[in-house]
């Protein structure tokens, strides 16, 4: 149990392929300390960083017992930290030394530790983890020359616990109402602002705007409840969800993907896939070659299959 935790501690972990071995070593160490661990496994740093962040954010919004923290690992520790930090109440830091761990716990009240699978040995990572577990908020640390913080800085740090969650939530009251709609903190979303998306005639509820050609990229929007009947392309394509949520059934591989904000998916050329949108959804898509679309079922068949929740035999990926 962490020295500064008056209640039991649970840690949610995950890694990409470059951080998996280090994550597993740290899980073994945590369990040797009798700390409860929930391992979400291995995925891309986009997906696993976001999922750990989402889980820690949701848990801590309800003042849980046990306390919930996160541990993420990728090649550098930077990518998983970036995506974990997309969620309210998550303070993820990449730590390459015990000094980093002590500083971020003392100053930032860091609740998600990110580590580097390429540049940190298991022995060093265990020392970093132990420091992160045992350092309380506002404790003496290298940044304070290992002395107690002054009363002025201590008061600032206390106030930061209230102020940090508000960052990005407030809108300038001097901004006109019609301008508020165009505000966005996401660079991908900004690409789509003030652009008119053209309707996708073949699929009701969809619209798309090409951003560049060869390789081609586009912003795509679908209205809540829209369905893409099973179809395939002669090209593979990458997507990143920017808003909303969707499910993709890859009928060729018998895998179902449930995607939310920040999630990434690659669908290979020729793979037959069906899609449903549960909210108004936007995503960024990139592909090689000329756009094409070949339907493998009609819309009514797709609706029937989805209503039946025909997931039997599908591996489900969140």
């Amino acid at each position: 149990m962490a020295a500064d935790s008056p209640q039991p501690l649970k840690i949610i972990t995950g890694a990409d392929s470059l951080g998996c071995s280090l994550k597993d070593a740290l899980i073994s160490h945590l369990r040797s300390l009798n700390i409860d661990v929930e391992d979400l496994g291995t995925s891309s740093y986009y997906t696993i960083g976001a999922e750990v962040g989402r889980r820690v954010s949701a848990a801590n919004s309800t003042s849980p017992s046990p306390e919930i923290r996160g541990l993420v690992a990728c090649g550098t520790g930077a990518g998983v930290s970036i995506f974990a930090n997309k969620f309210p109440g998550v303070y993820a830091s990449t730590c390459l030394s015990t000094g980093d761990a002590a500083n971020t716990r003392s100053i930032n009240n860091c609740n998600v530790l990110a580590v580097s699978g390429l540049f940190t040995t298991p022995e060093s990572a265990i020392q970093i983890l132990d420091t992160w577990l045992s350092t309380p908020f506002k404790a003496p640390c290298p940044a304070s020359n290992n002395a107690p913080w002054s009363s002025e800085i201590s008061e600032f740090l206390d106030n930061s616990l209230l102020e940090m969650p508000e960052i990005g939530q407030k809108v300038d009251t001097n901004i006109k109402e019609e301008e508020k709609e165009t505000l966005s903190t996401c660079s991908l979303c900004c690409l789509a602002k003030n652009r008119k998306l053209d309707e996708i005639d073949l699929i009701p509820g969809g619209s798309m705007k090409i951003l560049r050609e060869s390789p081609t990229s586009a912003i795509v929007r679908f209205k809540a409840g829209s369905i893409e009947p099973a179809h395939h392309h002669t090209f593979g394509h990458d997507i990143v969800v920017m808003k909303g949520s969707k499910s993709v059934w890859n009928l060729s591989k018998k895998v179902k993907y449930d995607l939310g904000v920040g999630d990434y998916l690659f669908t290979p050329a020729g793979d037959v896939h069906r899609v449903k949108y549960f909210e108004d959804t936007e995503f960024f898509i990139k592909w090689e070659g000329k756009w094409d679309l070949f339907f493998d079922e009609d819309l009514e068949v797709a609706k029937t299959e989805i209503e039946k929740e025909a997931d039997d035999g599908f591996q489900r990926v969140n």
Side-chain angles (χ1 to χ4, degrees):
M1 186 184 302
D4 61 322
S5 293
Q7 58 179 336
L9 176 65
K10 176 179 178 180
I11 295 183
I12 299 173
T13 71
D16 75 354
S17 58
L18 295 177
C20 182
S21 295
L22 186 60
K23 181 259 298 178
D24 290 345
L26 294 179
I27 288 174
S28 295
H29 180 65
L30 286 169
R31 287 176 174 158
S32 75
L33 300 176
N34 295 318
I35 293 176
D36 185 15
V37 178
E38 181 180 355
D39 183 16
L40 301 185
T42 305
S43 184
S44 72
Y45 71 88
Y46 296 101
T47 304
I48 202 65
E51 184 60 22
V52 171
R54 183 183 295 114
R55 298 279 293 275
V56 171
S57 175
N60 287 320
S61 68
T62 59
S63 300
S65 181
E67 177 191 0
I68 305 296
R69 294 194 202 172
L71 169 65
V72 286
C74 66
T76 63
V80 283
S81 175
I82 289 170
F83 280 92
N85 274 322
K86 297 291 184 182
F87 297 88
V90 172
Y91 309 113
S93 294
T94 303
C95 295
L96 301 179
S97 69
T98 56
D100 290 343
N103 286 337
T104 196
R105 280 292 301 147
S106 174
I107 300 168
N108 312 119
N109 200 29
C110 168
N111 57 5
V112 175
L113 173 65
V115 292
S116 166
L118 291 179
F119 303 111
T120 305
T121 65
E123 294 76 17
S124 294
I126 287 172
Q127 293 176 349
I128 292 168
L129 176 59
D130 282 343
T131 300
W132 181 76
L133 289 171
S134 62
T135 302
F137 179 55
K138 299 197 304 178
C141 63
S144 69
N145 291 320
N146 293 312
W149 291 107
S150 68
S151 59
E152 180 182 0
I153 293 179
S154 182
E155 181 180 359
F156 165 79
L157 294 176
D158 283 332
N159 290 335
S160 74
L161 294 180
L162 299 175
E163 293 171 354
M164 287 193 296
E166 299 298 322
I167 294 174
Q169 303 299 314
K170 298 179 180 178
V171 177
D172 189 342
T173 55
N174 294 321
I175 296 175
K176 296 179 181 178
E177 285 297 324
E178 60 267 25
E179 294 175 339
K180 291 180 182 179
E181 183 64 25
T182 65
L183 291 177
S184 175
T185 58
C186 172
S187 58
L188 288 178
C189 295
C190 289
L191 292 173
K193 295 300 181 184
N194 301 319
R195 295 177 183 265
K196 183 180 182 297
L197 275 65
D198 300 318
E199 291 188 4
I200 302 173
D201 295 333
L202 295 174
I203 308 177
S207 57
M208 179 171 70
K209 179 67 177 180
I210 300 294
L211 299 177
R212 70 185 295 265
E213 302 280 356
S214 189
T216 306
S217 57
I219 297 290
V220 180
R221 295 177 185 160
F222 273 93
K223 296 178 181 177
S226 299
I227 292 173
E228 294 182 56
H231 62 282
H232 65 277
H233 311 278
T234 60
F235 52 80
H237 55 287
D238 304 85
I239 70 164
V240 177
V241 179
M242 303 186 300
K243 173 185 176 182
S245 60
K246 58 189 283 189
S247 287
V248 179
W249 289 263
N250 187 314
L251 305 182
S252 299
K253 293 184 168 61
K254 303 294 285 184
V255 177
K256 180 186 177 187
Y257 301 92
D258 295 319
L259 306 177
V261 175
D263 285 343
Y264 163 86
L265 178 65
F266 172 72
T267 301
D271 275 17
V272 178
H273 52 292
R274 178 191 300 133
V275 186
K276 179 172 181 180
Y277 298 89
F278 299 98
E279 309 169 64
D280 290 348
T281 300
E282 295 184 5
F283 57 92
F284 176 80
I285 182 171
K286 182 174 74 69
W287 67 90
E288 299 279 354
K290 185 178 179 181
W291 174 262
D292 58 31
L293 177 67
F294 302 95
F295 285 107
D296 298 278
E297 66 183 4
D298 62 33
L299 182 58
E300 293 306 314
V301 171
K303 289 180 179 178
T304 299
E305 290 300 307
I306 290 173
E307 287 173 0
K308 291 193 307 185
E309 297 185 353
D311 297 346
D312 290 347
F314 280 79
Q315 177 188 354
R316 187 164 183 166
V317 179
N318 292 319

